[in-house]
Amino acid sequence: MKVTNRSGNKFLKPNLEINTVADFYTLYVLNAGVPSKDFWNLDIVFLENVYFNKMAWTSWENNPKER
């Protein structure tokens, strides 16, 4: 995994290399909050979409809001 580099005011995403089922499990279950039962029974493409949607939601929540 690459270290995140700072480019101007933006941070670059790290380049993740997923090689094993344990990597997928860590990413989807522990990081994105997908239930373990669902991880083993759902299609990997669906889990990938859930992960990307979770990251988008988290990014939106962390943006500063106008008051």
Side-chain angles (χ1 to χ4, degrees), residues 3-62:
V3 176
T4 305
N5 298 322
R6 187 174 172 142
S7 172
N9 291 335
K10 296 182 180 180
F11 286 96
L12 302 175
K13 294 180 185 175
N15 183 16
L16 297 175
E17 292 184 27
I18 298 176
N19 298 321
T20 65
V21 174
D23 295 338
F24 279 112
Y25 187 87
T26 301
L27 185 63
Y28 297 138
V29 176
L30 302 179
N31 191 17
V34 173
S36 181
K37 180 183 78 172
D38 291 341
F39 173 79
W40 295 110
N41 293 317
L42 295 174
D43 186 38
I44 195 72
V45 175
F46 177 78
L47 293 172
E48 189 174 86
N49 288 332
V50 168
Y51 173 73
F52 288 132
N53 287 330
K54 168 75 165 104
M55 294 302 107
W57 177 261
T58 303
S59 176
W60 178 81
E61 280 187 322
N62 290 335

